[in-house]
């Protein structure tokens, strides 16, 4: 670790924390329907949307209606996105003339974006038209994030309401999230990003000459365009020369702003935020990293404010912090250590492991981004996780496997964390033989059943998916690195899909019917089967009476509870995933340092 | 039920128009107005012709030019239409082989070069388009470039120093040298 590296990380954390209270209390104002200053401009648009949808803020929904609206909304959007992807070839705003994408890839990409995962089996600049990026993918970045925030707000109402039958109006929560929070932040962020060099243009790609003509080996094809295979079974190549470079353009900045803020993570370009047009400078890097954790962190304060005790929100933020910092530290240390195989051939290890990293960011920013993007369910990358050291790459993987509750997705991270908080009060209640309660609501059998689903279903998706992939030919065929790392690639893929992260060990070839379908199913289960039980808990809690705290009530803002909750999250994660991690990154580390 | 279906369908249209059309068009309008250079790819124009982008690296293997990072993009290195990292694991033998052949190439171009090569010269970047190398990696190549071009080493070294981009605000990122702009400056020097 370097002094400058630690300074940059410290600066990031300080700036992030400075935004928690102002943004958090602003969001509470928005969700409570109070005037927030932006109403003057956006109020008419908000009311117009309600009129078009045929709803009013006073129209309250039961938890079943709320869940039904959320699911139906998803279903409509997945259908629309699938159709855009399939037919982009004949739709406008396609200057590169990309054809419609294959059915399995369209299914995967559509599911991936509606579930806030943004897993990408494709390269943006070589597959997707401007229209697809803009009206298909970027729209999902907004609404899937807004949906997560809406569900969180519904759950918070479950705590604040007493013997109520309803938990709010899905359409209103959704609209307010988009209009008052995501859109203004994205607009400011997008313009900032353009100032640093992120492209924002509808012109076709531009060709520029190379300063030095470069020779390379091109795969040989016959007259029909079929590859020519040599006697050794490998494709033959022929010498060729490259004279020019094609610079991709597009409406990138507008999409990158929301993919960071909405914890979506889907890159406009294949290399995501490692691409110089997606993340050109260290300042753009800092802004994009802040945007990853900004809303998830501030929502903790929103939660505290809405339940009438901001200490409750800070306590959860502290839990996230004490989980985040150790993982970041291990990742940074492991990446700074350098590759031992390089040290053996005389390379100075002090400069760290630079494979898959960009010079302008260096080791500290690459490690910090990796930890932030996987702690939150963002999944964008500014360095290739596949080329991280075994332990450096294991940290992002474990942060994903913890269930995306350390910050987590916008809304979804905090509702996941609240599920764990209910487990923590339940277990501590069992220890002392009292009925557990959280924020004045009794936590009973129904809530615990739903919480069990919330925690177990993503874990099942991850482990079952990895198991199937590692014993089927089509699963193993995608692996690109030998040894235990190959297993890590599959484990990472299903961890990412099942927990809706979206980052990858990118060497795994997943644009195949097997991976597109299996990962798509994992993403759907991982999102919907967490969201619906959470809405059910919201409904059940809202219907309960308020219990006044007594001398025996566990204070859920105190250090004891903070450490207990952090411990529960680690223990559940470790019990579930340690065996599989031993087969992947841990085995690879032991082999590399034997 | 019909009420919910109607709301879902209408929301589809409303949010697509708002966030998928109005928002990106607004950003494009502002961007093209205030930051037209950046919004269109930070293109370098010389004598009225486009010669590259300050943000996108180019491949070099001629000993008269500074070389950049390795690049794992498809077809040819620094193919800007197909950004990609190598995704090779630390434990993958191919990674070490690639590094060794790069070291051989560097030593072949300059047999007197030091044996310890800066790590960014033997590794591929995440995007495959990294425009930068570290100042150490530039210094490593100064002797070779100066010898090939018949320049004084101090002249080339001064050019490198002039092309170093320092940390933003003295804190953010890492010091670096833009390989394309450095090489363009070298060519210009040669023509004088």
């Amino acid at each position: 670790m370097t002094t400058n590296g630690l300074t940059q990380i410290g600066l990031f954390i300080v700036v992030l924390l400075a935004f928690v209270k102002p943004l958090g209390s602003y969001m509470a104002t928005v969700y409570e329907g109070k005037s927030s200053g932006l109403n003057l401009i956006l109020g008419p648009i908000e009311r117009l949307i309600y009129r078009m949808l045929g709803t009013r803020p006073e129209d309250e929904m039961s938890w079943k209606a709320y869940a039904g609206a959320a699911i139906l909304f998803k279903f409509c959007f997945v259908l629309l996105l699938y159709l855009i992807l399939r037919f982009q070839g004949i739709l406008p705003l396609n200057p590169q003339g990309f054809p419609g994408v294959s059915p399995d890839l369209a299914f995967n990409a559509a599911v991936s974006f509606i579930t806030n995962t943004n897993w990408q089996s494709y390269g943006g600049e070589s597959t997707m038209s401007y229209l697809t990026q803009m009206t298909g993918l970027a729209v999902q970045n907004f609404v899937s994030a807004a949906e997560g925030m809406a569900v969180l707000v519904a759950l918070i109402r479950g705590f604040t309401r007493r013997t109520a039958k309803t938990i709010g109006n899905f359409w209103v929560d959704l609209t307010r999230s988009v209009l008052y929070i995501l859109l203004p932040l994205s607009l400011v962020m997008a313009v900032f990003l353009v100032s640093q060099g992120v492209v924002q243009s509808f012109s076709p790609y531009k060709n520029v000459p190379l300063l030095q003509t470069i020779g390379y080996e091109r795969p040989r094809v016959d007259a029909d365009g079929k590859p020519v295979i040599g006697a050794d079974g490998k494709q033959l190549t022929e010498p060729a020369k490259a004279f020019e470079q094609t610079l991709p353009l597009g409406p990138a900045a507008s999409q990158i702003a929301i993919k960071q803020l909405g914890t979506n993570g889907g890159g406009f370009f294949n290399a995501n935020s490692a691409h110089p047009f997606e993340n050109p400078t260290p300042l753009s890097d800092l802004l994009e990293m802040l945007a990853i954790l900004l809303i998830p962190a501030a929502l903790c304060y929103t939660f505290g404010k809405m339940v009438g005790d901001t200490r409750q929100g800070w306590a959860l933020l502290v839990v996230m912090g004490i989980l985040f910092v150790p993982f970041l530290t291990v990742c940074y240390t492991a990446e700074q250590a350098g590759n031992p195989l390089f040290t053996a051939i005389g390379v100075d290890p002090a400069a760290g492991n630079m494979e898959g990293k960009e010079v302008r960011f260096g080791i500290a920013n690459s490690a910090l981004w990796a930890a932030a993007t996987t702690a939150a369910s963002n999944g964008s990358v500014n360095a290739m996780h596949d080329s991280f050291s075994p332990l450096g790459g294991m940290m992002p993987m474990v942060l994903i496997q913890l269930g995306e509750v350390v910050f987590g997705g916008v809304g979804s991270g905090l509702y996941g964390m609240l599920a764990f908080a209910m487990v923590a009060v339940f277990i501590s209640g069992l220890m002392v033989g009292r009925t557990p309660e959280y924020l004045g609501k009794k936590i009973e059998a129904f809530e615990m059943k739903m919480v069990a689903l919330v925690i177990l279903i993503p874990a099942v998706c991850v482990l079952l998916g990895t198991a199937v992939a590692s014993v089927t030919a089509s699963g193993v065929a995608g692996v690109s690195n030998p040894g235990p790392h190959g297993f890590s690639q599959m484990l990472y893929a299903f961890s990412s899909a099942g927990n809706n992260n979206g980052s990858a060990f990118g060497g795994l070839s997943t644009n195949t019917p097997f991976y597109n379908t299996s990962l798509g199913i994992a993403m759907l289960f991982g999102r919907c089967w967490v969201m619906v039980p959470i809405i059910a808990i919201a409904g059940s809690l809202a219907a309960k009476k308020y219990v006044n705290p007594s001398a025996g009530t566990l204070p859920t803002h105190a250090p004891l509870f903070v450490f207990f909750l952090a411990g529960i999250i680690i223990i559940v994660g470790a019990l579930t995933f340690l065996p599989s991690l031993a087969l992947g990154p841990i085995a690879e580390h032991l082999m590399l340092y034997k | 039920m019909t009420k919910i279906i109607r709301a879902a369908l209408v929301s589809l249209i409303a949010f697509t128009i708002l966030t998928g059309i109005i928002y990106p068009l607004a950003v494009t309008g502002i961007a093209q107005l205030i930051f037209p250079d950046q919004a269109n790819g930070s293109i370098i124009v010389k004598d009225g012709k486009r010669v590259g982008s300050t943000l996108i690296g180019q491949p070099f293997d001629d000993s008269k030019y500074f070389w950049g990072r390795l690049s794992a993009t498809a077809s040819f290195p620094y193919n800007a239409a197909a950004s990609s990292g190598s995704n090779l694991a630390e434990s993958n033998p191919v990674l070490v082989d690639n590094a060794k052949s790069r070291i051989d190439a560097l030593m072949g171009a300059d047999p007197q070069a030091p044996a310890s090569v800066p790590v960014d010269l033997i590794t591929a970047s995440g995007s495959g388009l990294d425009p930068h190398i570290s100042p150490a990696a530039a210094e490593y190549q100064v002797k070779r470039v100066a010898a090939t071009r018949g320049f004084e080493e101090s002249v080339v070294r001064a050019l490198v120093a002039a092309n170093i981009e320092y940390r933003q605000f003295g804190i953010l990122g890492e010091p670096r040298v833009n390989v394309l702009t450095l090489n363009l400056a070298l060519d210009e020097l040669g023509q004088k």
Side-chain angles (χ1 to χ4, degrees), chain A residues 131-209:
Chain A
L131 184 88
T132 307
Q133 298 262 30
M134 203 171 89
T135 62
L137 305 180
V139 171
Q140 279 318 306
N141 286 352
F142 278 99
V143 296
S144 70
E147 178 202 64
M149 294 161 85
V151 171
L152 170 69
V153 174
L155 179 61
I156 295 175
R157 290 198 191 101
F159 287 109
T160 56
R161 294 189 174 178
R162 292 159 197 191
T163 55
K165 289 194 177 66
T166 58
I167 55 170
N169 179 325
F170 175 73
W171 307 112
V172 172
D173 294 337
L174 184 83
T175 306
R176 285 184 179 156
S177 304
V178 171
L179 211 55
Y180 289 103
I181 300 167
L182 297 172
L183 256 182
L185 283 174
S186 301
L187 192 65
V188 174
M189 169 100 180
V191 175
F192 253 112
L193 289 177
V194 177
S195 79
Q196 294 300 301
V198 176
V199 293
Q200 177 76 23
S201 156
F202 287 101
S203 314
Y205 295 2
K206 274 191 190 125
N207 285 345
V208 293

Side-chain angles (χ1 to χ4, degrees), chain A residues 4 8 52 125 194 200 209 211-212 245-246 254 270-271 276 283 354-360 387 481 588, chain B residues 6 23 28 32 38-39 55 57-58 61-62 69 78 83 86-89 91-92 124 126-127 130 168 171 173:
Chain A
N4 173 265
Q8 295 196 53
M52 282 159 57
E125 68 270 46
V194 177
Q200 177 76 23
L211 184 58
Q212 184 209 321
Q245 210 178 24
T246 303
S254 53
N270 186 41
L283 179 61
M354 282 302 287
E355 183 69 24
K357 297 191 180 69
E358 304 282 302
V359 169
R360 61 192 180 281
S387 296
N481 280 301
E588 190 194 3
Chain B
R6 177 192 147 185
Y23 162 69
T28 310
Q32 293 290 343
Q38 292 94 319
L55 295 176
Q58 292 196 1
D61 59 5
D62 193 324
R69 310 281 311 270
Y78 290 87
S83 63
S86 73
N87 285 313
L88 294 171
S91 58
N92 194 328
S127 60
D130 194 344
Q168 266 177 310
I171 298 176

Side-chain angles (χ1 to χ4, degrees), chain A residues 463-551:
Chain A
L463 293 176
L464 205 65
T466 313
V468 170
S470 47
V471 295
T472 50
S474 40
V476 177
V479 167
S480 71
N481 280 301
H485 196 89
F487 177 77
S488 301
Q489 289 184 308
M490 294 184 280
L491 180 61
Y492 197 106
F494 283 96
S495 299
S496 179
N499 290 294
N500 299 136
N501 182 274
S503 67
F505 275 6
L508 189 72
S509 306
T510 53
N511 192 6
T512 61
F514 171 79
Y515 276 113
N516 277 335
T517 313
S518 59
L519 292 170
I521 292 169
M523 288 187 274
L524 263 185
F525 270 79
R527 180 77 172 187
C528 299
W529 279 96
V530 170
M531 205 178 74
V532 174
I534 290 285
I535 301 175
I537 294 174
S540 149
L541 288 177
K544 291 184 195 217
K545 290 199 299 270
Y546 179 78
V547 190
N548 277 315
S550 66

Side-chain angles (χ1 to χ4, degrees), chain B residues 133-180:
Chain B
I133 51 177
S134 63
E139 172 57 35
Y140 183 88
Q141 304 180 67
V142 163
K143 254 196 173 125
R144 183 196 76 221
V145 173
T148 315
R149 290 182 176 254
F151 290 165
E152 290 288 328
E153 267 178 44
S154 59
V155 174
V156 178
R157 195 163 283 126
L159 206 57
V160 170
N163 275 278
I164 293 181
E165 295 171 44
Y166 292 97
R167 292 192 169 109
Q168 266 177 310
F169 314 116
I171 298 176
L172 300 178
E174 301 295 332
R176 56 207 183 274
V177 179
N178 187 310
V179 179
L180 178 62

Side-chain angles (χ1 to χ4, degrees), chain A residues 249-416:
Chain A
L249 293 170
S254 53
Q255 185 162 339
I256 292 159
I258 182 60
K259 77 135 179 172
Q260 296 301 104
L261 285 163
T263 58
N264 302 279
F268 195 87
F269 304 111
N270 186 41
N272 209 301
S273 281
H275 197 295
F277 277 169
E278 189 145 346
N279 191 4
T281 65
L283 179 61
S284 69
D285 192 67
L286 176 69
L287 288 173
E288 290 184 21
M289 278 194 297
L290 282 171
I292 294 176
L293 296 185
L294 183 66
I295 297 178
L299 278 172
C300 292
Y301 190 85
T302 309
F303 161 74
K305 194 153 184 221
M306 288 178 78
V307 299
D309 181 0
T310 48
R311 292 174 309 176
Q312 302 290 345
W314 287 115
L316 296 182
L317 190 60
V318 172
V319 173
M320 295 175 180
I322 57 180
L323 290 171
F324 178 71
V325 172
F327 282 102
L328 168 62
T329 311
V330 175
C331 183
Y332 183 21
T333 315
E335 291 312 295
Q336 190 71 63
N339 187 341
L341 301 180
F342 280 5
T343 314
I345 56 170
V347 176
D348 180 12
N353 169 26
M354 282 302 287
E355 183 69 24
K357 297 191 180 69
E358 304 282 302
V359 169
R360 61 192 180 281
F361 305 140
I363 304 290
N365 284 313
S366 302
L368 178 57
W369 186 299
T373 194
T374 51
S377 76
N378 189 287
S380 61
V381 295
N382 76 349
M384 297 301 135
H385 294 183
D386 213 353
S387 296
F388 273 36
S389 63
L391 293 186
M394 185 169 106
M395 294 305 116
M397 180 143 51
V398 176
L399 278 167
I400 294 172
Q401 289 167 341
L402 292 182
E404 291 301 8
V405 296
V406 184
F407 299 104
V410 288
S412 62
L414 188 54
Y415 66 61

